[in-house]
Each structure stands twice: as C-alpha cells, then as structure tokens.
Amino acid sequence: MTSEEIYSQLKEIITVYLPEDVSVENITENSHLMNELNINSSHLVDVVLDVEDAFNIEIKDTELEQMDTVSSAIAIIKEKTN
C-alpha cells in the first residue's frame, strides 16, 4: 500500500472527527492532529480504533503516543501494512 493510498483513507477517517470550525482542506500530511486539527484526545482514540479496523492492524499505546501528525500516522500504518 502506498503512502498516498494510506493518506487518502486516513483523511476520510479523520474527517469524521473534525470539529465544525476545521475544514477538510486543512488536513495535510504535516497537520498536527490535536493542535492544528483540534481533534480531542477521546476522538484521537476513536481515530486509532478506526485506523486499526480499516487497515486490519493493531496500534500499541507507545505507537499511539507517536501518532501526533498525519505523516507520523501514515508512517506507522505503512510499516504495519508492509
């Protein structure tokens, strides 16, 4: 699976949890999930659960702590799907 394919699926997952004041256009690979996209900590857990389901992977707590940006999430997903 390519980084672009992962990014596309991840963007769809993240969009569900964006607050009303944040636009889908704001999601870039450099976006910080909590600071820039305003995803709260409970929704971040939901994002991870959805990622695990969508990509059929398991993300450990230590990896969750590293998933602070879209690009770091892509890297973790790519490593686990290859």
Side-chain angles (χ1 to χ4, degrees):
M1 184 169 261
T2 68
S3 293
E4 291 79 24
E5 292 169 324
I6 294 170
Y7 174 66
S8 178
Q9 274 190 272
L10 184 59
K11 190 172 178 180
E12 287 179 29
I13 292 169
I14 291 170
T15 300
V16 175
Y17 299 102
L18 290 178
E20 290 180 14
D21 63 335
V22 178
S23 172
V24 174
E25 286 79 39
N26 291 16
I27 302 173
T28 68
E29 289 192 28
N30 296 323
S31 297
H32 191 280
L33 297 171
M34 294 179 84
N35 296 343
E36 292 177 46
L37 300 179
N38 296 332
I39 296 175
N40 66 39
S41 57
S42 63
H43 281 157
L44 188 57
V45 172
D46 292 333
V47 168
V48 170
L49 292 172
D50 289 353
V51 164
E52 288 178 329
D53 288 343
F55 294 97
N56 198 27
I57 58 174
E58 183 180 334
I59 296 175
K60 298 175 184 156
D61 290 343
T62 54
E63 294 164 327
L64 170 61
E65 293 169 9
Q66 297 170 357
M67 286 180 66
D68 56 350
T69 64
V70 173
S71 60
S72 63
I74 291 170
I76 290 168
I77 294 166
K78 188 169 186 172
E79 179 182 313
K80 292 188 164 286
T81 57
N82 288 340

